[in-house]
Amino acid sequence: VIVDSSLRADAIARRRADSLSRGAIDHFFHYQGARQAQLWLDVHRAHAPRFSDPAFDRPYREIAALAASLAPGAEVVALGPGAGSKERFVLEALAAGGPAPRYLPIDASVELALLSADAAAGVAGETVPIAGDLELVRDLRASPGWAPDRRRIVTAFGLSPNAEPSRFFPPLTALLGPDDLLLVSANLAPLALEDDRDGYARACAAIAAQYDNAETLRWLGQVLADWGIAGRLGPLRFEQQTIEGINGFVASANWLADATFAWEGAEFTARGGAPLRVFFSLRYTPARFEAMLAGYGLEPLERAVVATGEEAVWIVRRRR
Ligand SMILES: C[S@@+](CC[C@H](N)C(=O)[O-])C[C@H]1O[C@@H](n2cnc3c(N)ncnc32)[C@H](O)[C@@H]1O
């Protein structure tokens, strides 16, 4: 595994400092270290509908087959692949019609970068797992291993829920060459009514239990324990909030009292009662996600939605 400089101790210290000063913990930290990766896998097993319902694989398989027919011979760049099972469908589809594809899984977690490479065994060709922050995507095109003439399928599965749209989409648009494809998923609010304010809010309310549960709170609370600040904060609570026009579930805890303490080489002052956001997860609707894509210069070519209406995956290209 190649470990990018974004995982160096000084870079991580800077992120920890920024997290507290912005009042929002960077999602990056929820996957750092073997323990966090394990707790996240526990949440996934207990609450991600995918693990109990094979119907969730179907749209990923469909989209993988379509993408392989649109971009035969492409190499695969996986952003935040986690356990890498969805990317395996893409690699399998490419390998079925040609040589085993070159594979670059990039994940903040060393454990998950390695796990995603393992998951590609037997279907990927040369595999170069990279542990690093996704910010490195901005420099990827200029890096020595990036052959400009190679066609790519970039995957970004399960990432759009945990990023503000204005931070998530621009680097993806910048990464794509004219013939490249992006496969991107979104978690959806399963609409039972119209996609208006009321219908959207009700669809979100119907899935609140996916967030507010013991496994998720344990996973998220572990970061506060690791950082030695859990005792200074009240309990973690989930509530619904809108972020850049998209409804989401936000977990936060409030500082119990005014406090000043040393933090990453400087003094940090917490105000009693002020919230610290620990996590958020956005739920789009298909129309809202496609409007976002269009707003960032991306054009959806195909879409597949899981039967429950809770997740969808798109094939996207850069608008020409
Ligand atoms: C919600 S999981 C999604 C995993 C997988 N793609 C899936 O759909 O099941 C988010 C993944 O992105 C990685 N990740 C989160 N923040 C990151 C960052 N800033 N840079 C690189 N990877 C990151 C995590 O380690 C984790 O593997």
Side-chain angles (χ1 to χ4, degrees):
V1 63
I2 295 174
V3 179
D4 181 67
S5 60
S6 50
L7 293 195
R8 292 175 70 106
D10 55 343
I12 291 191
R14 209 162 40 244
R15 291 180 91 108
R16 279 165 34 115
D18 287 350
S19 286
L20 287 201
S21 60
R22 288 193 302 119
I25 292 191
D26 194 324
H27 281 86
F28 170 91
F29 290 107
H30 295 309
Y31 306 89
Q32 285 299 303
R35 174 84 182 128
Q36 282 296 127
Q38 197 53 48
L39 287 172
W40 172 70
L41 289 168
D42 287 349
V43 173
H44 227 56
R45 279 186 206 108
H47 299 286
R50 212 180 122 64
F51 272 90
S52 49
D53 183 355
F56 269 76
D57 285 347
R58 198 171 305 133
Y60 286 92
R61 288 181 187 277
E62 273 173 35
I63 285 292
L66 272 169
S69 68
L70 292 170
E75 72 175 28
V76 176
V77 178
L79 307 179
S85 49
K86 296 169 189 164
E87 279 75 9
R88 187 173 167 97
F89 300 143
V90 180
L91 296 164
E92 273 173 353
L94 285 164
R102 187 165 182 259
Y103 183 40
L104 274 77
I106 306 173
D107 202 284
S109 155
V110 176
E111 287 76 14
L112 295 174
L114 289 168
L115 200 57
S116 59
D118 291 347
V123 283
E126 184 196 2
T127 300
V128 187
I130 302 172
D133 181 67
L134 288 180
E135 290 287 320
L136 71 87
V137 161
R138 292 182 187 279
D139 306 325
L140 217 49
R141 292 186 74 81
S143 68
W146 194 265
D149 54 344
R150 212 172 272 153
R151 189 174 209 189
R152 290 175 177 90
I153 295 177
V154 176
T155 62
F157 298 139
L159 303 182
S160 67
N162 306 134
E164 289 93 348
S166 60
R167 291 178 62 141
F168 179 66
F169 291 103
L172 294 178
T173 311
L175 181 65
L176 294 180
D179 295 325
D180 294 345
L181 297 178
L182 168 69
L183 311 188
V184 59
S185 74
N187 287 352
L188 302 180
L191 289 167
L193 305 167
E194 292 297 302
D195 188 359
D196 57 13
R197 203 183 141 101
D198 186 42
Y200 186 31
R202 284 204 206 186
C204 287
I207 46 169
Q210 284 179 18
Y211 296 96
D212 207 352
N213 57 68
E215 289 82 5
T216 303
L217 292 170
R218 193 174 315 123
W219 169 51
L220 299 174
Q222 185 65 34
V223 173
L224 306 178
D226 280 353
W227 288 13
I229 55 173
R232 296 181 185 272
L233 290 156
L236 264 176
R237 287 169 289 98
F238 266 100
E239 60 179 3
Q240 281 192 52
Q241 280 180 22
T242 302
I243 296 176
E244 297 184 11
I246 302 300
N247 286 355
F249 292 85
V250 176
S252 52
N254 293 73
W255 294 100
L256 290 173
D258 288 352
T260 298
F261 54 92
W263 189 246
E264 300 299 353
E267 210 167 64
F268 173 73
T269 299
R271 290 271 196 92
L276 175 64
R277 187 176 80 188
V278 178
F279 170 84
F280 67 87
S281 178
L282 301 179
R283 303 298 295 220
Y284 288 85
T285 63
R288 288 166 205 258
F289 194 76
E290 287 176 10
M292 247 347 145
L293 289 172
Y296 287 100
L298 294 167
E299 182 187 356
L301 300 178
E302 298 285 346
R303 170 177 95 196
V305 184
V306 299
T308 61
E310 288 180 32
E311 200 171 316
V313 56
W314 281 260
I315 302 181
V316 168
R317 71 176 174 198
R318 207 182 159 139
R319 197 167 47 227
R320 290 174 176 165

